[in-house]
Amino acid sequence: MTTSVHPVPAAREAGQPTFAHLAEQVRGWLALLPLSGLGIGLSAQALGRPDLAFLAFAVPTLAVLTVLAVQIAAHLARGDVGLDLVALLSMGGALALSQPLAGVVIALMYAGGQSLEAYAAGRAGAAMTALIARQPRTALRAEDGTIREVPLAAVMPDDRILVRAGDVVPVDGRVAAGRAVLDASSLTGEALPVTVDPGAEVLSGTLNVGAPFTLIAQRRADESTYAGVVRLVEAARSSKAPMARMADRYGLAFLALTLLVAGTAWAATGDPLRALAVLVVATPCPLILAVPVALVSGLSSAAGLGVLIKGGGALEALARMRVLVIDKTGTLTHGRACLSRVRTVPPFAETEVMRLAASLDQASGHPIARALVALARARGLTLAQPSDAVEEAGEGLVGWVEGRQVRVGGPRLMHRHGLTFPPSEAGPEGAAVATVLIAVDGRPAAILDFADPLRTDGGRTLAALRACGIERVVLATGDRRAVAEALVAGLPIDDLTADLDPSGKTAIVARERRHGPVMMVGDGINDAPALAAADLGVALGARGAAAAAEAADIVLLVDTLDPLPQAMRIARRVRAIALQSVLAGLGLSLAGMVAAALGHLTPLQGALLQEAIDVAVVLNAMRALGGAPRPAAQEGPPVP
């Protein structure tokens, strides 16, 4: 395919990483240098080799200092001023004033924090490989009475394209010949296939689950709907600013105070070691260490629940969410057809009709046919081998079972064969998403209603999320409004918007931001743009689309919503513990700065004191590993 909707930055595409990029890559292993240097230097001192000790202390300090300088330069270029500047000044001052032991201790503190932070953030990546893999690369174009496979970029409007069974529709167009049966869940979220008559439009990205049909292209591939979904995800990803580290929120004030105290001590005494001691004690390792350690603990706890959180920023964001936008199909529902009601026509009995219909449906690959066969087998019915089965795309199936003629399909099939069924009896308005009629030996036999049922944990999860701080719940679905309203009646939902395409869901996320930070929960490719655009995207990854999992910040690895409130409680606990550690560490550092300014601490003593503070805040941060939240099921009665 010559047209790409996923441009790659030139520097990365050419394989030429920048020095700043290399520094970012090595920071996870940076702590090994000062740790090794400290061990070698102390051994050299014990052996009476101060010259080797000096080198062992100074070289790793200089290496860490260089990496730190590159990172700070990159941050300054973006207009970010953080507390890392204090670490740079303290290490540089230690080397300049021939205090290499203090310098390597500071380097170890700083690099240890960097390593922990790199581990906490992870390298989840957001490349939309699933979207690219699903998009067709070629199309079958009719040319001079033959079918030729051509690159997708070669398809032009008015070309005739053959779409085989199981193929993804390559471009937007209209059905020219044959009735199309399409799985449109990737774009609309509809749980069940839709039938498209000749002349009607179909969208790229939908899956042909029926017989082959001919499509007349209306747009080029790069102008079609599926390419637009990909672009929506990319645009949303690029516009979402990364979360600043908690430490940086206090950076400017603490940095100014540190420089003021250090400068005052130097000016008042004329001793640069006083200023260095202040800088050493002020090195923000409590901030640098406490936050990532708490985040790593929280990420581990959440993973134990089957919740994959892609980095500390997502974990911290989870604690602040106030609005939930949630998809219906596959999220609040199971995303598959289930039999909701059977109405038999006398004298036929339900069990016999189900057995005959399921026996015939063994010859069909339609999702509803598969659901009926699975249900019959689950009931222990013995299915017979069908014969002379003929499937009429979009209408149904006709064949013979044990010498009896069986028809399974929709009203159009039955009407064409002159069969009249009783009028539909009252059921929940819009609750049935598909109705299947069964005729045996030329007589109406049964009416089956299929629906996409609500998950048993849906209402309970919404109630638990409200208890965790969610103040507003909005349902955003591609299904018909009547179906959605009937299904979620009684759930704690504040607003419902139906008949949405992917761009519509993204617009809902943008609209809801006026009420607070937005968390989007979905599972389909059609949800991917909204997941990427939200302040926090949550995807069901057990059976959901891979593209949704790629676009989301959090992936539920189990096929249930139950872990989400528990993960939110973990996030809130982690954030509180990290904040406690930060404030306590800063308080102790301020006390140490005053002592250093008054001459009560040397640079080395200040570095060791800071190490003690680090140990205290790390131990406090590790409390995030404990206190596992109680299951969501215990948080009040389930909501029907």
Side-chain angles (χ1 to χ4, degrees), residues 19-28 67 71 75 114 118 123:
F19 187 32
H21 178 68
L22 290 175
E24 179 68 18
Q25 293 296 311
V26 303
R27 73 175 184 138
V67 173
Q71 291 177 340
H75 292 163
Q114 290 282 291
R123 292 293 178 264

Side-chain angles (χ1 to χ4, degrees), residues 297-549:
S297 302
L299 294 174
S300 299
S301 297
L305 299 173
V307 181
L308 173 62
I309 302 179
K310 299 180 181 180
L315 184 69
E316 187 183 357
L318 180 59
R320 300 183 296 106
M321 292 299 106
R322 291 293 177 267
V323 180
L324 172 66
V325 176
I326 187 168
D327 177 49
K328 178 184 73 66
T329 304
T331 305
L332 286 178
T333 69
H334 290 276
R336 58 180 179 268
C338 294
L339 183 65
S340 61
R341 184 167 61 161
V342 178
R343 289 165 285 164
T344 57
V345 179
F348 293 98
E350 177 179 332
T351 299
E352 182 64 8
V353 171
M354 291 282 289
R355 189 183 72 84
L356 291 172
S359 295
L360 178 62
D361 270 349
Q362 293 177 105
S364 173
H366 195 283
I368 293 182
R370 293 198 300 266
L372 184 57
V373 171
L375 177 63
R377 287 173 175 163
R379 292 185 177 185
L381 302 182
T382 301
L383 303 186
Q385 180 72 31
S387 61
D388 299 325
V390 177
E391 184 166 12
E392 302 182 25
E395 294 188 0
L397 195 65
V398 179
W400 294 82
V401 178
E402 296 177 338
R404 308 184 71 175
Q405 187 185 51
V406 181
R407 293 183 177 90
V408 181
R412 186 160 36 202
L413 175 68
M414 301 304 173
H415 178 74
R416 191 155 51 79
H417 289 278
L419 297 172
T420 302
F421 280 70
S424 297
E425 299 175 5
E429 183 183 356
V433 294
T435 298
V436 175
L437 306 178
I438 301 172
V440 177
D441 294 331
R443 299 172 58 188
I447 303 171
L448 309 184
D449 288 333
F450 284 83
D452 184 13
L454 194 69
R455 291 176 181 266
T456 57
D457 63 340
R460 181 177 66 240
T461 300
L462 294 181
L465 286 171
R466 285 191 179 274
C468 290
I470 294 295
E471 299 168 355
R472 178 174 170 82
V473 179
V474 177
L475 180 67
T477 177
D479 278 354
R480 302 185 305 276
R481 186 174 187 88
V483 173
E485 286 180 340
L487 193 66
V488 302
L491 293 184
I493 292 175
D494 299 292
D495 192 14
L496 185 154
T497 306
D499 300 308
L500 294 173
D501 60 10
S503 61
K505 291 186 178 182
T506 305
I508 294 296
V509 168
R511 183 195 73 187
E512 291 300 322
R513 277 205 174 92
R514 67 179 185 267
H515 299 289
V518 177
M519 174 168 63
M520 169 71 192
V521 179
D523 78 323
I525 293 177
N526 62 305
D527 299 319
L531 289 168
D535 298 291
L536 189 75
V538 180
L540 271 73
R543 292 191 305 107

Side-chain angles (χ1 to χ4, degrees), residues 37 50 55 135 144 149 220 471 511 516 529 540 548 572 585 589 600 624:
L55 288 175
Q135 190 170 25
D144 301 325
E149 187 171 8
R220 294 170 54 92
E471 299 168 355
R511 183 195 73 187
L540 271 73
R572 291 164 68 92
S589 293
H600 299 307

Side-chain angles (χ1 to χ4, degrees), residues 588-604:
L588 293 173
S589 293
L590 288 172
M593 287 165 57
V594 172
L598 296 175
H600 299 307
L601 292 174
T602 66
L604 180 57

